[in-house]
Amino acid sequence: MKEMSNYAKIRSLHLFSRKKFRILIVIEAVLVMLGIWGLFGKDAVYEYGLDAASCNFGTYSQELGGIAVYGTEEERGNLVDFTGLVLPRGTYRVQLQYATDSDMENSCEVTDLRLSDQTLKTNGTLLFSGLDHTDFDMWLLRDSTDLTVHVYYSGSGMLAVRGLRILQTNDWNRIQLFVMLCLISIVNIVYCYVQYDREYRIPVKNKTVTFCLGLIILFASLPLTLNYMMGGGDLGYHLMRVEGIKDGILNGQFPIRISPEWQQGYGYASPVFYGETVLYLAALFRLIGFTVTTSYRLFMLAVTIATVLIAYFCFKKIFQEAYVGVFCSMLYTLSVYRTYKTYCTGSWGECLGVMILPLILYGFYRVFTQDIREKSYKRSWVPLTAGFSLLVQSHLLTGEMVGLFTIILCIVMWKRVFRFQTFLVLAKTVIYSVLISAWFLVPFADYMLTGDFTIHHVSGRTIQDRGLFPAQLLFTYFIQGNDSEPVYNSASIGPGTAPVLALAGLAYLFFTGKIKKFTREENGFAKILAGFSLAAMLMSLNLFPWDRIQSWGDGAATLISSIQFPNRFLTIANVCLTGAAGILAKYVLEYGTRTVARCYFCGMTFLLCISGGYLLENLMDTFEPVRVYNNEGMGTGYISGAEYLPYGVDASKFMYHDPVCSGELKAEDYEKLSLGARVRLTNPGEVWERVSFALLYYKGYRAFDENSGQELSCHAGENGEVTVEIPPGFDGALTVRFVSPWYWRAGEAVTVLSLGIMILQRFLRKGLWQGKSTSGNGKEILGGETLGEAG
């Protein structure tokens, strides 16, 4: 009799016929309705005029309509304090009306001496000459009766304070509803699990695996249990990417092509060059209403969980043993390299690459070892396509390195590559990956081929001197350090002791010939993992001749320069070393004694704790805490290496400003839009004039006469600003906005249709596929030539 599927078993529990479960569902439904009801009515506005302000210096200016100061160095400090403000707990937007002639020197902040940082969360904001009010978020988790808004004057230039408005939002209620839905889901899952276990008795092995995976997630997420972020490396840049997605969605842009608020509202095309698919989850947390810090912690927790589960699934499938899958998942997720990239450098792209790579390893394992006569072989493109698609849309540099090793693998396995069934699977992988990624690849290719950006001019940057010392590959105790310092204080980077010893153990099996106890396929797989591990570690060293390779030509120079840091090749080494440790684990389980197996697993876990655990503890002890709540607390000007700026543009000159008109052209009724502007222009002269806006020009910006609908010439002006040519006699409203080219939209349609067709095929074929063919001892039958015969 055919065994019931898990889904069928759950249905057979008839949960909705159980009185307790029905009562639980009713209670949950009532709570959800109350949560939805709480989303409405949170729109109170608190107005505070100058009579509510305490003026410490300065005088009222009739001309500026507020308390103004044109001070000297002696007049610095809190110009105005709005004190004794009474607000109920909730979330708010603080709008200070002001005028100033300086940028990023004066500031506004909120305090309450009776509340801690955990109950009043806000970073305040800087003031700009091109704006007339602030608009920053505040999370007030307790009622306040003594809230104070401070306006700080730097001591130079003019600053005038005109008034204060505090607007209540429903972010807090959205957060409560979201948390409630999560708790309800957990309660229902636990209830279902308990009933399932009572009815069908979940095996102890499955419970052990679940428990161990939970422990791995817990230990890998320890830094996320802190109430702050460890702000290393590129963390600020990636947080700004998340803010860009949030701001773009709130302003009606989807998918996000230009982050609208970066660089003081000029915009930045990072999403076109640097895939952000996975980051939409982090932006969702921000849209719900969570602070920047909380959104970061939730997102990294989700990435950690995904890394643990993907690694477990893939290595379990490769080695056909759940315990080996758990073991490899532990080595991989708690590795020194992942800890370093996740928390030390804040390299989200590489962290996502680490999450994805086991899918690609598993995909190639299936393609080159599974019996080509099995019906399921036709679906072996699925993990590869999922891996490559996510990698392209998450971190192209990791994709570049994986592409290099994929080429080498295909050369080594050339006989299998050219089998019809295998070639068809690999072709499907390439085609499907491109189709699924078309929404990202089309704009990327468009800008790279038709534009001139800073990224096109970085071929002179060498990387060999940034490589690791050989000794670092064998370090045991890793601490937070600096890349530029000597080896004793170098960056905490290396594979770690455990995986390197696993590779040494594998080498011992080869040297003694004991590896022959494995099948020829397993033997070949071990050789490839060992070879790729050694090659990747070698390429991470400062001994590898990167400078010589870079001198081969412009193409090689650009590719090598884009890698930036040779230690990135440890991404490849990490997954291959984990696979090598898995092979050794399978060997001791099948051919070793119980004592040997225990010593191996306990010893590797101990070594992992020494290397990875010591680094993790050191990070939490030495990193300065970073608490960022609103995006204003990060600023908008940090663009890392500025690779995606139009070449020659000086980003330091970007500041909010009104339209700049040439000649007799006059502008009035100016309104700054997200990735656009609206203004009324009058050109009384007989010559063409031009107007420039505080927007960075990228291909896609267009200008229209609102009255006639006529499109006017729009191009990059001085320092890359969006500039529009205005004809003689023009008198009307002009709108400038960013519009994605039609072929970008076509790429998006291709992606949606491709995913839709694949999902539809999955549902249509569900239940039609047969299981894998097995031999008498339950092992998968391998057809065609063996891995050991490859090449």
Side-chain angles (χ1 to χ4, degrees), residues 58-70:
T59 58
Y60 182 80
S61 169
Q62 186 71 33
E63 179 183 359
L64 295 173
I67 298 173
V69 59
Y70 302 84

Side-chain angles (χ1 to χ4, degrees), residues 363-632:
F364 278 122
Y365 179 81
R366 281 191 60 178
V367 167
F368 290 125
T369 65
Q370 188 176 2
D371 186 353
I372 59 175
R373 294 167 295 183
E374 292 185 14
K375 292 183 179 180
S376 62
Y377 186 81
K378 295 180 180 179
R379 293 184 286 116
S380 56
W381 58 269
V382 174
L384 276 179
T385 300
F388 278 111
S389 299
L390 283 172
L391 196 58
V392 166
Q393 297 174 49
S394 299
H395 198 234
L396 278 174
L397 288 179
T398 302
E400 179 183 323
M401 294 184 291
V402 171
L404 172 63
F405 279 85
T406 297
I407 293 172
I408 296 173
L409 176 63
C410 289
I411 292 174
V412 172
M413 303 294 296
W414 67 272
K415 289 184 179 179
R416 287 201 165 195
V417 167
F418 288 104
R419 294 182 307 185
F420 175 76
Q421 296 89 339
T422 302
F423 188 83
L424 184 62
V425 166
L426 294 176
K428 283 183 178 180
T429 298
V430 174
I431 294 172
Y432 291 161
S433 298
V434 171
L435 292 178
I436 292 174
S437 305
W439 77 275
F440 167 72
L441 292 175
V442 172
F444 173 78
D446 188 22
Y447 273 9
M448 288 295 289
L449 295 176
T450 64
D452 185 18
F453 300 94
T454 302
I455 195 173
H456 290 111
H457 301 269
V458 296
S459 59
R461 179 176 57 195
T462 58
I463 69 168
Q464 185 168 337
D465 59 346
R466 297 181 176 184
L468 302 176
F469 294 95
Q472 289 176 282
L473 298 179
L474 302 175
F475 274 9
T476 302
Y477 296 97
F478 295 91
I479 63 172
Q480 158 62 12
N482 190 301
D483 287 320
S484 63
E485 296 296 329
V487 65
Y488 60 82
N489 192 33
S490 64
S492 302
I493 187 65
T497 308
V500 171
L501 286 183
L503 183 62
L506 192 60
Y508 171 77
L509 294 183
F510 281 120
F511 184 75
T512 58
K514 293 183 178 180
I515 195 72
K516 293 180 180 178
K517 292 182 179 180
F518 281 139
T519 64
R520 300 180 70 176
E521 289 74 23
E522 293 169 332
N523 197 321
F525 183 56
K527 289 178 181 178
I528 288 176
L529 288 178
F532 278 20
S533 298
L534 291 171
M537 288 191 290
L538 176 63
M539 296 168 81
S540 73
L541 301 178
N542 58 10
L543 302 177
F544 195 79
W546 288 117
D547 290 352
R548 180 177 293 276
I549 296 173
Q550 202 164 353
S551 67
W552 289 352
D554 292 340
T558 300
L559 287 174
I560 300 303
S561 177
S562 66
I563 294 173
Q564 294 181 301
F565 302 100
N567 64 45
R568 284 177 166 161
F569 280 94
L570 291 184
T571 309
I572 309 295
N574 194 34
V575 69
C576 292
L577 286 171
T578 304
I583 290 175
L584 205 58
K586 185 175 182 179
Y587 179 88
V588 299
L589 284 176
E590 292 187 0
Y591 305 109
T593 64
R594 180 172 296 183
T595 301
V596 171
R598 287 176 177 174
C599 289
Y600 175 73
F601 287 110
C602 292
M604 292 291 283
T605 303
F606 175 73
L607 291 173
L608 179 67
C609 291
I610 289 180
S611 296
Y614 186 81
L615 172 60
L616 205 60
E617 183 177 352
N618 180 263
L619 292 178
M620 291 189 286
D621 286 342
T622 60
F623 253 118
E624 290 295 326
V626 175
R627 294 182 176 91
V628 178
Y629 304 118
N630 48 27
N631 56 351
E632 290 81 6

